[in-house]
Amino acid sequence: MKPPKRHGWNTPVTAVGPQGGAMLRSIKGITSDPLTYLESTWADFGDVVQFPIPKPATYLITSPEGAREVLINQHNETSKRTLQYNNLSLVTGEGLLTADTQAWRPRRRMLQPAFHKEMIALSEHHIAAGLAKLDNQWVELTSVGPAIIDIDHAMMSLALEITCGALFGIEVDDDVDEITSATLIALHGVVARARNPISLPLAIPTPANLKMKRAIKRLDKAVDAILISRALNQLPDQAPIRDMLDVLLDPDLETPLTKQQIRDEIVTFIVAGHETVASALTWAWHLLVTNPDEMQKLKRDPTRAQLVFDESLRLYPPAWVITRRTLSDLTVDEVLIPANSLVIVSPWLVHRNPKAWDNPNAFIPDRFLAGSPQLGYIPFGAGARLCIGKEMARLEGSQILAHIAANWNIEAIHTSPVPIDASVTLRPASGMPVRISRLLN
Ligand code: HEM
């Protein structure tokens, strides 16, 4: 049967895709298990799919070349004004991640120096401190024998401590659980809004809105604590810039940032900088405990940690969808995508595309021995809006995996597959319990 030429409201049909009735019947699956829905849509219709949605016209791009076209080649013809980023900005404001091109460009130029090599090397100190603390906690937990812990919770706390130490020079100690839980609740609210077409404005006090607003307030409190701590530890004038907070607070900037802009960047970096890394690490542990050979290889040779981390990011990319709005007509994979369409690029699918990967569903860290491929690997996005924390995240991820694998036994206690909650990042739906015991060298 031929697809209809229009999807209501005069939206032209330019690519194959599911019919309206079929998509309506899949609504439950789309909200409860979006990854499976995306996979089956891709299997049914191929690398460029148009959903039967009238406004905006909505496309799913799955080919490595198509992803490159949208994120790199046609970057100037796209915007971040999408439902995904509009909802996220309820939490992060106009920070670097959600800012649209005009506000984003000068901000990226301003913040980039905070991610130079020397600064990233400095985060090694905070990674080591976080790991020393984790060792102490685990030694206590295992004092009378192996213990069962939620490694997802452990990775969240560790990643938050490292982010706050490296970027803002503070120790979050007692506030770790408070900040990680506020982040998760706020992000959960973001996703719930994106999945509910009739979400009411945040100002209307529905129970869900109130919960989200309380979480945002808790994040604001964390920002206040960070700023107070820096005010109490002022360095003399002329002192060299220490970290990202110094860049944000620099009074000599051509246009110093307003209070709101500083708040938005701090929340952006708390949110973007720790939940992503924690998600990547949690799934790396999952892959390692379910592939004992790879775990043993890593224990014997901890320098393999970077391969393991990169391959885990391929199979479980924390940012599993990246969205853009088209500003003009684009051609992607020979398909016309009209101006003002929503384009969804899913790293989850691109990373499984056999056009870029042999045996794509298998966990094979060695495939990164020759480095990351130019095409088809986008866990950190690509092009101008590539993740600013990419190198910090890769360092953090590999050092944490190497250290823990060298010092601890981590074993699976689950026998069935771990259900995935595809939220802002990919999370295990009910934590990731594992058995830990001290490795006696
Ligand atoms: C494994 C960990 C991480 C993953 C998978 C990840 C993923 C991503 C992706 C896919 C983007 C691009 C989004 C888009 O194009 O729409 C992005 C952007 C960004 N990430 Fe990350 N990220 C990670 C770690 C970090 C860290 C550690 C930080 C901060 C310290 C960070 C801060 C940001 C910021 C601020 C942006 C926006 C950059 C811009 O638009 O100029 N991320 N990240």
Side-chain angles (χ1 to χ4, degrees), residues 88-115:
L88 190 57
S89 65
L90 293 174
V91 178
T92 62
E94 280 293 288
L96 192 67
L97 181 60
T98 46
D100 209 5
T101 314
Q102 240 187 339
W104 163 79
R105 214 182 290 280
R107 192 66 60 77
R108 175 91 187 205
R109 228 176 285 130
M110 175 188 145
L111 292 176
Q112 193 69 54
F115 289 87

Side-chain angles (χ1 to χ4, degrees), residues 80 85 96-97 104 108 115 167 269 272-273 276-277 280 313 318-319 322 324 379-381 385-389 392-393:
K80 275 206 170 184
Y85 283 116
L96 192 67
L97 181 60
W104 163 79
R108 175 91 187 205
F115 289 87
L167 301 184
F269 277 84
T276 44
V277 176
L313 282 171
I322 298 175
R324 294 289 188 270
F380 295 100
R385 306 239 21 187
L386 180 75
C387 175
I388 200 169
M392 181 175 160

Side-chain angles (χ1 to χ4, degrees), residues 98-365:
T98 46
D100 209 5
T101 314
Q102 240 187 339
W104 163 79
R105 214 182 290 280
R107 192 66 60 77
R108 175 91 187 205
R109 228 176 285 130
M110 175 188 145
L111 292 176
Q112 193 69 54
F115 289 87
H116 278 171
K117 270 202 179 98
E118 300 76 32
M119 292 284 206
I120 290 170
L122 268 184
S123 48
E124 284 196 57
H125 161 75
H126 297 280
I127 297 169
L131 283 168
K133 194 168 153 197
L134 178 123
D135 281 342
N136 286 338
Q137 285 165 352
W138 286 10
V139 164
E140 207 169 300
L141 278 172
T142 54
S143 57
V144 289
I148 290 178
I149 61 148
D150 177 3
I151 202 147
D152 178 48
H153 180 262
M155 294 300 105
M156 283 285 282
S157 307
L158 180 59
L160 180 72
E161 283 169 359
I162 294 168
T163 302
C164 287
L167 301 184
F168 313 128
I170 64 153
E171 286 183 19
V172 275
D173 283 346
D174 300 339
D175 301 322
V176 168
D177 283 348
E178 169 69 9
I179 302 175
T180 52
S181 94
T183 302
L184 288 179
I185 293 170
L187 293 186
H188 186 264
V190 165
V191 171
R193 294 179 72 78
R195 289 188 188 156
N196 180 358
I198 49 164
S199 295
L200 294 169
L202 202 55
I204 297 181
T206 62
N209 281 352
L210 287 172
K211 196 170 173 192
M212 188 166 167
K213 279 175 82 167
R214 274 197 299 274
I216 294 171
K217 258 204 182 128
R218 286 157 67 194
L219 286 172
D220 287 343
K221 256 180 70 185
V223 172
D224 290 343
I226 289 171
L227 291 173
I228 290 169
S229 156
R230 180 53 49 101
L232 294 175
N233 291 296
Q234 275 293 4
L235 283 189
D237 283 351
Q238 314 300 326
I241 294 226
R242 288 173 293 189
D243 54 24
M244 204 189 77
L245 193 53
D246 277 341
V247 178
L248 293 176
L249 298 175
D250 187 355
D252 298 331
L253 289 174
E254 220 174 272
T255 326
L257 297 190
T258 63
K259 252 176 122 173
Q260 182 66 40
Q261 288 170 326
I262 293 169
R263 176 266 172 213
D264 288 351
E265 290 306 354
I266 294 177
V267 172
T268 293
F269 277 84
I270 290 178
V271 169
H274 91 278
E275 214 232 341
T276 44
V277 176
S279 162
L281 283 164
T282 294
W283 293 110
W285 290 120
H286 170 68
L287 287 163
L288 285 166
V289 296
T290 50
N291 291 273
D293 285 358
E294 287 298 338
M295 179 74 100
Q296 286 316 316
K297 281 200 232 169
L298 176 61
K299 283 183 181 301
R300 281 196 299 274
D301 177 8
T303 64
R304 290 179 57 79
Q306 191 68 70
L307 305 176
V308 170
F309 192 66
D310 291 346
E311 172 70 342
S312 304
L313 282 171
R314 185 184 69 82
L315 282 171
Y316 290 90
W320 57 284
V321 278
I322 298 175
T323 56
R324 294 289 188 270
R325 186 176 283 261
T326 55
L327 297 174
S328 58
D329 290 358
L330 305 185
T331 304
V332 177
D333 278 1
E334 297 176 7
V335 170
L336 168 77
I337 299 193
N340 223 15
S341 299
L342 171 69
V343 177
I344 303 168
V345 175
S346 169
W348 175 272
L349 298 181
V350 174
H351 291 177
R352 284 166 169 73
N353 196 322
K355 287 182 183 154
W357 303 96
D358 290 336
N359 199 0
N361 292 320
F363 176 57
I364 309 176

